[in-house]
Amino acid sequence: MRGRARLLAAALPLALALAACSADDAGEGGEPRRAEASAHATDPPAERTTKPRGVRIPAEVPNRPAKRAAVEMTGCAATDGGWAASGTAAAVKARDQTFVISVFFTTDQATVVAWGRTRVTVPAGERADWQVGVDLPVQGELRCVLRGVG
């Protein structure tokens, strides 16, 4: 008897799911109905930035957690003809350190439209400023993503 109760308990959710897909959801000839436009749909943004043709976005970039912890991005702003990210890097070891900093520039929807990289060498125990800039006809706002530090 307990086995039968378990079987029924397991089958009940499946039966309910199948009932939800009844003929009421079908259009003419049993074809699924098409979704209708929502009255609450929003218009697409008037301004857009798109990735320029020929720009290749790397799938992998150097990234070492210890070095990344020593790098801070403090700025992300439009420039004349493009966009730039900036920040500082600190050489916390007893020797000079070189950082390769990669930044992705994205739309609000996280689409990467450009990327840039810089190399900065910081003397032992000191901090240095860095900047990554890209030439890009920008419409609207972009976000800067510190993608990797190697």
Side-chain angles (χ1 to χ4, degrees):
M1 185 71 171
R2 290 182 91 183
R4 187 177 285 174
R6 284 185 193 167
L7 180 61
L8 286 173
L12 183 60
L14 178 60
L16 290 174
L18 290 174
C21 297
S22 68
D24 290 342
D25 291 337
E28 291 183 35
E31 292 292 318
R33 290 186 189 159
R34 291 192 173 165
E36 295 180 23
S38 168
H40 303 288
T42 59
D43 292 330
E47 298 180 351
R48 288 211 168 133
T49 297
T50 58
K51 182 179 80 158
R53 293 192 187 276
V55 173
R56 293 180 185 245
I57 308 300
E60 296 181 23
V61 296
N63 191 41
R64 295 178 55 197
K67 283 194 169 188
R68 189 181 184 112
V71 172
E72 194 173 36
M73 184 167 56
T74 57
C76 179
T79 62
D80 289 337
W83 210 262
S86 59
T88 59
V92 294
K93 296 187 177 184
R95 58 182 165 77
D96 295 357
Q97 287 184 269
T98 299
F99 299 90
V100 178
I101 301 166
S102 300
V103 176
F104 283 8
F105 297 88
T106 74
T107 64
D108 285 343
Q109 295 79 30
T111 301
V112 179
V113 295
W115 76 284
R117 180 179 288 165
T118 192
R119 178 184 303 265
V120 60
T121 300
V122 183
E126 294 186 24
R127 296 178 89 71
D129 293 333
W130 59 266
Q131 181 173 345
V132 175
V134 293
D135 292 330
L136 180 69
V138 177
Q139 297 176 357
E141 294 288 317
L142 290 183
R143 296 176 188 258
C144 301
V145 178
L146 182 59
R147 177 60 181 84
V149 179

